[in-house]
Amino acid sequence: SDSDDVLYLDSAVLVSNLLITNADFEIGDPPEGWDTFDSKIEQESIIVKAGKRAMKITANKTIFGDAGASQNVFKPEYRGRTVTFGAWVMAPSTNDKMQTLGIWDGVSVIYSPPIPHDGKWHWMTITQMLDEKATELRVYGYVLTASNPDKDDVLYMDSAVLILGDYLPALPKE
């Protein structure tokens, strides 16, 4: 090997037990592996936190309730285990409804604190111990949470992570 070979890393994080697929939303438009409910999901190439793409979730809700994007990665061996879901998220200041992250195990749901409507990227995480009778492990980006109808609120997500356990390494500051 040459003595002048150099490798530069910026903001590298190694997570060995990443459970979700297409966590950086780089594959497909709409992003592959992600489901939608009462919303439209698409790749975003201008408002991005890391890499070349993020996911843009736009509300399309005509009745009261939730709307967003999700991915289910359930396996029976996850029952009773603790999981942590995190992502970079951004909600524009023009939003008027509540946006959050969520984890659903088929028995109960847990929500993150509301995402600020300030047009800035925030690293958010939530942790849940899955029920012993869990039938799902579905993570959510909610563009609406228990909301009246809405068709214009937007949530951006980037660099999502789901791990077994309750520890995610600290990520670089914005």
Side-chain angles (χ1 to χ4, degrees):
S1 128
D2 294 332
S3 61
D4 62 349
D5 289 348
V6 177
L7 173 65
Y8 293 97
L9 293 177
D10 182 21
S11 306
V13 176
L14 175 62
V15 179
S16 61
N17 56 350
L18 185 64
L19 303 178
I20 54 180
T21 61
N22 199 15
D24 56 5
F25 314 105
E26 300 287 329
I27 302 168
D29 191 11
E32 289 180 15
W34 292 87
D35 303 318
T36 181
F37 57 103
D38 294 324
S39 65
K40 176 184 178 185
I41 61 173
E42 58 193 318
Q43 268 188 342
E44 171 63 38
S45 61
I46 296 175
I47 301 174
V48 174
K49 178 63 180 169
K52 295 181 180 177
R53 305 279 189 270
M55 179 166 61
K56 179 181 180 182
I57 310 166
T58 305
N60 188 21
K61 187 75 174 171
T62 57
I63 60 172
F64 182 86
D66 298 337
S70 69
Q71 188 173 125
N72 187 11
V73 297
F74 177 74
K75 292 182 180 176
E77 58 265 29
Y78 297 159
R79 290 181 178 127
R81 303 280 305 270
T82 298
V83 296
T84 301
F85 176 49
W88 284 104
V89 292
M90 193 272 280
S93 59
T94 54
N95 283 3
D96 62 354
K97 306 293 190 292
M98 184 171 68
Q99 288 78 47
T100 64
L101 296 179
I103 301 173
W104 164 250
D105 67 4
V107 178
S108 63
V109 64
I110 186 170
Y111 299 97
S112 71
I115 297 165
H117 294 170
D118 61 5
K120 296 179 183 177
W121 288 100
H122 299 274
W123 175 250
M124 300 198 70
T125 63
I126 53 174
T127 300
Q128 179 179 13
M129 179 178 284
L130 301 181
D131 194 277
E132 292 289 343
K133 296 179 182 177
T135 57
E136 293 189 54
L137 171 48
R138 188 172 289 275
V139 293
Y140 290 90
Y142 286 104
V143 69
L144 302 175
T145 307
S147 173
N148 288 320
D150 189 279
K151 291 190 176 225
D152 62 359
D153 274 20
V154 173
L155 174 64
Y156 296 90
M157 286 179 61
D158 207 345
S159 304
V161 178
L162 175 65
I163 62 165
L164 291 172
D166 58 5
Y167 172 76
L168 279 177
L171 292 181
K173 297 292 180 193
E174 298 177 46

